[in-house]
Amino acid sequence: MPGHVYTVSIIPSDLRREETILRIADTLEHLEKIANDVFNRISDRVSMDHAKLKQINQRLEVAQVKVDKMRNSKKATKVFSSAKYPAPEKQEIYESLFEEDTDLATLKVPYRRMNTKHQAVDGKALKEKLQFYNVQVNPRKKDKSEEHAAEGLGGLPKNMESINSLLLFNTSENP
């Protein structure tokens, strides 16, 4: 079973204005198709479960009629019970709504010819983009174990029973 049935692509930040507008429109149409497919799958499952519930209610009504018939009877009733629990040999396997693959898994972006040229990248355009996009440049952090290894005297010995064991005898100094 796949983890994700649908994917909605992120619009790249380096597209031209016309490309961005067309990609937004394509992505929104794709998102609408995905939403419709999800709701169709849910409504199909609800109708299947409603049909199962209707069958169970019909069986319940038949059993209730039989119980009412026996309740009004003055004769002794002998009840036979089978030695086997009335259930199917194999339990029905649960099927997820989103198990099967769909043609909506990825957006197929059509090729379009654009009349405009790409703008040259300069400092002003870069600052303008950084205003709208969150970019974090962090140098690689050291592992916490490396940071803590250099600090202090290290961990406590495993044979310590109390805090008093950490103090030197007859002094207020710690080892």
Side-chain angles (χ1 to χ4, degrees):
M1 184 172 110
H4 302 286
V5 176
Y6 306 108
T7 56
V8 177
S9 63
I10 297 174
I11 298 166
S13 60
D14 59 346
L15 297 177
R16 292 174 279 193
R17 181 176 174 83
E18 294 86 15
E19 287 176 309
T20 304
I21 292 171
L22 291 172
R23 185 69 74 89
I24 288 171
D26 291 339
T27 304
L28 288 175
E29 286 176 4
H30 182 66
L31 189 60
E32 180 184 20
K33 289 176 186 176
I34 288 173
N36 289 337
D37 189 51
V38 167
F39 287 122
N40 288 339
R41 287 176 187 233
I42 291 172
S43 62
D44 290 346
R45 176 62 64 90
V46 167
S47 63
M48 283 175 38
D49 290 343
H50 184 68
K52 286 180 185 178
L53 187 60
K54 197 172 189 179
Q55 288 176 343
I56 291 171
N57 283 336
Q58 288 173 348
R59 287 177 50 200
L60 183 65
E61 288 172 2
V62 169
Q64 187 64 42
V65 167
K66 289 180 182 179
V67 167
D68 289 341
K69 189 176 184 183
M70 288 174 49
R71 184 181 298 150
N72 296 332
S73 174
K74 299 288 183 193
K75 294 198 289 185
T77 306
K78 194 184 252 187
V79 178
F80 294 100
S81 176
S82 66
K84 190 175 164 188
Y85 184 73
E89 289 290 324
K90 280 189 161 182
Q91 289 293 333
E92 189 176 318
I93 297 174
Y94 176 77
E95 293 180 23
S96 173
L97 284 174
F98 304 106
E99 251 183 16
E100 71 259 6
D101 291 332
T102 177
D103 58 338
L104 297 174
T106 57
L107 174 64
K108 290 137 185 108
V109 180
Y111 175 77
R112 293 187 177 103
R113 192 173 228 358
M114 298 291 148
N115 294 329
T116 59
K117 303 269 186 219
H118 281 286
Q119 293 178 352
V121 179
D122 58 346
K124 182 180 177 185
L126 212 61
K127 284 183 182 178
E128 186 177 304
K129 285 190 178 195
L130 287 176
Q131 179 182 359
F132 298 107
Y133 298 107
N134 185 13
V135 178
Q136 295 178 353
V137 180
N138 291 338
R140 188 171 163 238
K141 293 184 178 179
K142 294 180 182 177
D143 291 337
K144 290 184 179 180
S145 60
E146 292 175 7
E147 289 178 11
H148 292 299
E151 289 181 15
L153 299 173
L156 292 176
K158 295 191 187 270
N159 60 354
M160 290 291 145
E161 294 179 13
S162 69
I163 296 293
N164 292 336
S165 302
L166 294 175
L167 297 175
L168 290 176
F169 183 72
N170 274 345
T171 66
S172 62
E173 292 183 29
N174 293 337

